[in-house]
Amino acid sequence: MIKSEICEMLGIKYPVFQGGMAWIADGKLAAAVSEGGGLGIIAAGNAPGEYVKEQIKIAKSITSKPIGVNIMLLSPYADDIAQIVIEEKVEVVTTGAGNPSKYMKAWKEAGIKVIPVVASVAMAKLMTRLGANALIAEGGESGGHVGELTTMVLVPQICDATTLPVIAAGGIADGRGVAACFMLGASGVQMGTRFLSANECTIHPTYKEKVLKATDLCTMVTGKRLGHPVRSLRTQFARDYSKAEYGGMPDSELEALATGALRLAVQEGDNEKGCFLSGQIASMVKKEQPAAEIVKEVMEEAEPILLRASKWVK
Ligand code: TUI
């Protein structure tokens, strides 16, 4: 059994987080992951506080194990949700796409475990100083909003910059990825794309099918010109957006093209107008299975790999 300090800190069996995927990671998916011994995380995305409250209620009706909420800091509702997680006594908060400094004191005082995504060494040092409990180092192999550095490069640098436990994210699909992240100094992993095929993940069947059929070169990054690079499946929409982006479409029109595109992918499976966020490991997602099975499977796969690692040392 692989154990790390993150298991003790959060009271979880396996050091596996399910990423807070906007529009996707709802109370049902998060509860299934937490029931399976990992940490399930509800994504606030761009949704209003009422939605998040409802999802917390759903999760808590399914599991009494700890759950997390991910706050996407570009959201117009970030301030509201920062307060709701305190009122609802959420155990863990993760943040993404920005700097959560202004909320840290209130969250700490409420006893919430705060685990920000950091995309740079400077941010890792700042969050350590402000009292974060752990850090998530997410490389650009991940789906959604991506940073500059890969997981291979980011994780060891973040580990060197902090005394806190580091959770590696981006590009992890199975036990090999988990073992590799532990070798880089991580104390846990976060997976997003791998959970898209979970039975409890309620995305449109077309979305699931696209992930299950994906091949190695199936994702691309768009949105760099507007400063929000996003990795998604290489669909008609992604190709059209990329053409518009490099063809000189005005910023306002480009923004309009992207508005609502995540919802259209998740809820309608709309190939022409939907943006199907996905990490580079989509091609390694092979089957639908319960979320709890995914958590257990990747950790059990990692065990013999880590045990045999010493074979290289002569
Ligand atoms: O946040 C994510 N992934 C996401 S967010 C999202 S929704 C979205 N909507 C509109 C535009 C953009 C995104 C879809 N996927 N991952 C965590 C993450 N955080 N990746 C990178 C960062 C990050 C970036 C900058 C964290 C901190 C940061 O600091 C900025 C600063 O102020 O220094």
Side-chain angles (χ1 to χ4, degrees):
M1 183 110 191
I2 296 170
K3 286 279 173 199
S4 79
E5 63 265 50
I6 207 76
C7 298
E8 262 172 43
M9 179 193 289
L10 305 181
I12 56 179
K13 184 171 176 194
Y14 298 107
V16 177
F17 292 11
Q18 157 256 311
M21 301 168 281
W23 288 102
I24 298 174
D26 58 9
K28 194 173 161 219
L29 178 63
V33 173
S34 288
E35 264 304 286
L39 182 73
I41 298 177
I42 294 166
N46 269 319
E50 277 313 308
Y51 167 85
V52 179
K53 256 193 205 173
E54 179 64 20
Q55 296 309 315
I56 295 170
K57 203 155 98 197
I58 291 172
K60 294 213 180 266
S61 73
I62 303 173
T63 185
S64 56
K65 299 211 162 81
I67 55 151
V69 168
N70 173 261
I71 305 184
M72 210 280 284
L73 295 165
L74 295 169
S75 163
Y77 303 104
D79 285 351
D80 287 355
I81 294 160
Q83 191 55 39
I84 287 170
V85 293
I86 295 174
E87 288 158 12
E88 299 293 321
K89 300 191 177 11
V90 165
E91 289 88 352
V92 183
V93 165
T94 66
T95 62
N99 181 343
S101 292
K102 68 172 172 172
Y103 307 120
M104 295 284 284
K105 189 165 169 279
W107 288 339
K108 296 289 295 169
E109 279 169 11
I112 295 175
K113 300 280 190 303
V114 184
I115 313 187
V117 169
V118 294
S120 68
V121 163
M123 184 61 82
K125 287 184 174 163
L126 177 63
M127 291 300 116
T128 305
R129 211 166 51 240
L130 292 182
N133 297 90
L135 303 174
I136 300 172
E138 183 182 288
E141 298 94 321
S142 67
H145 182 57
V146 289
E148 219 20 76
L149 301 176
T150 59
T151 302
M152 179 83 136
V153 170
L154 185 65
V155 172
Q157 294 191 72
I158 299 297
C159 289
D160 285 347
T162 187
T163 48
L164 299 173
V166 173
I167 310 301
I172 305 158
D174 59 22
R176 293 170 296 182
V178 173
C181 289
F182 274 79
M183 292 290 186
L184 293 176
S187 307
V189 297
Q190 174 169 281
M191 297 187 297
T193 303
R194 177 73 199 261
F195 285 107
L196 291 178
S197 72
N199 294 132
E200 299 87 350
C201 179
T202 49
I203 53 176
H204 194 278
T206 301
Y207 201 147
K208 264 190 199 182
E209 194 185 305
K210 280 181 184 294
V211 172
L212 289 167
K213 285 192 176 151
T215 54
D216 54 349
L217 299 177
C218 62
T219 73
M220 62 191 281
V221 174
T222 54
K224 273 196 175 157
R225 208 187 87 200
L226 294 184
H228 296 304
V230 161
R231 182 178 298 286
S232 68
L233 293 177
R234 194 182 290 277
T235 58
Q236 193 55 49
F237 170 82
R239 285 201 185 93
D240 290 348
Y241 187 96
S242 189
K243 245 188 231 155
E245 188 173 26
Y246 294 105
M249 183 185 268
D251 285 6
S252 57
E253 278 178 51
L254 257 189
E255 256 163 49
L257 200 58
T259 304
L262 298 188
R263 191 196 68 76
L264 283 174
V266 173
Q267 293 181 351
E268 325 255 332
D270 187 331
N271 191 48
E272 272 89 54
K273 298 202 190 76
C275 178
F276 295 79
L277 297 183
S278 168
Q280 288 185 320
I281 59 93
S283 59
M284 295 166 79
V285 180
K286 303 271 195 287
K287 59 175 192 285
E288 280 202 65
Q289 62 191 137
E293 196 177 291
I294 295 174
V295 173
K296 190 160 179 272
E297 188 175 295
V298 297
M299 290 316 295
E300 285 183 357
E301 283 170 2
E303 260 183 49
I305 300 171
L306 287 171
L307 280 171
R308 284 203 311 264
S310 62
K311 77 175 178 181
W312 298 107
V313 186
K314 305 290 182 214

